[in-house]
Amino acid sequence: VDFEAIFGAPLSNIWAATEVVGSHRHGLQPGPVTRIAPGAQVRLVDDEGREAPRGEVGEFLVRGPNVTVGYWVGPDRIDDATRDGWFYSGDLMRQGEGDELWFVGRKKDTIMRGGSNISPVEVERVLLSHPLVRDAAVFAVPDPVLGQRVAAVVQLSSGAGSAALGNILRDTKQQLADYKVPEWVWAVDAVPRNSLGKVDRRAAATAMLGKAA
């Protein structure tokens, strides 16, 4: 909202990968990605490679003339970047009522709690919507019974009081299914991010679990 008010133009999402030069899907409206370059094809598939039903989450696959031929390993060796001609992006998306695709998260970041898949991005969006939260990162904590549990770190807004974490958790429970609500929330000075500005979930988990040990 602030960007649009200041610059007079809306923000739109874009999907891109180094392996898929020129076949970027981009959005005509804020939120989903809605277009694809000519000659490219896309699919959403489940863990068994079956087509994901509309509205269900699946891994985003793409093929076309702009997908790389492979990864250069050394002289006379290039490893194929595709499987059966499709590039598996590792990104999870769901298709809306039309052609629009909504980004859900990275497949490797999915938290698997007692057989249920949880997108950390979904939980982060709820946390970030809270007025007491300036930034947030959600990650998995190993658990011997459920496999993984949900945890989070938050950077609090200036002026947040000592009861902030309790208020945040209370309000989060009203917007998420019980199994998606973080079971631990720590306040941090800054959310760990990598050189690209992306949330570093591994660094957040390592730091917090080290403190709890």
Side-chain angles (χ1 to χ4, degrees):
V1 176
D2 292 339
F3 181 93
E4 185 172 355
I6 294 172
F7 294 97
L11 284 174
S12 297
N13 289 344
I14 184 171
W15 181 89
T18 304
E19 296 88 348
V20 192
V21 180
S23 290
H24 303 166
R25 292 189 63 99
H26 57 279
L28 295 178
Q29 57 182 311
V33 286
T34 52
R35 301 186 70 184
I36 187 168
Q41 296 175 287
V42 301
R43 299 171 60 204
L44 297 182
V45 301
D46 61 19
D47 291 338
E48 283 72 45
R50 298 173 301 215
E51 297 287 339
R54 185 181 296 272
E56 297 294 325
V57 175
E59 183 176 1
F60 177 72
L61 278 56
V62 59
R63 70 178 179 185
N66 294 328
V67 175
T68 181
V69 296
Y71 302 107
W72 186 84
V73 179
D76 301 320
R77 180 182 170 186
I78 295 179
D79 286 353
D80 195 352
T82 65
R83 280 187 273 161
D84 300 323
W86 293 90
F87 172 67
Y88 285 66
S89 71
D91 289 332
L92 297 175
M93 297 190 182
R94 61 177 176 82
Q95 187 175 5
E97 295 180 358
D99 293 332
E100 74 275 11
L101 293 177
W102 296 83
F103 178 78
V104 175
R106 291 288 291 166
K107 188 173 182 178
K108 67 179 182 180
D109 291 335
T110 299
I111 301 170
M112 302 186 68
R113 183 187 188 278
S116 297
N117 293 340
I118 302 169
S119 166
V121 174
E122 177 188 1
V123 182
E124 285 168 357
R125 285 173 179 162
V126 173
L127 289 172
L128 290 169
S129 69
H130 198 285
L132 296 178
V133 176
R134 182 175 181 182
D135 201 3
V138 174
F139 51 90
V141 172
D143 183 80
V145 177
L146 296 176
Q148 294 178 325
R149 293 179 184 266
V150 184
V153 294
V154 294
Q155 179 184 357
L156 297 174
S157 301
S158 59
S162 58
L165 293 181
N167 292 335
I168 292 167
L169 268 178
R170 181 198 63 206
D171 295 343
T172 299
K173 290 178 180 179
Q174 298 178 3
Q175 301 180 61
L176 291 170
D178 289 345
Y179 68 93
K180 296 181 181 180
V181 176
E183 297 184 51
W184 298 274
V185 179
W186 293 277
V188 294
D189 293 333
V191 170
R193 293 183 178 273
N194 61 24
S195 59
L196 297 177
K198 296 181 179 179
V199 171
D200 192 334
R201 305 183 199 285
R202 180 175 296 181
T206 299
M208 292 304 104
L209 293 178
K211 288 183 179 181

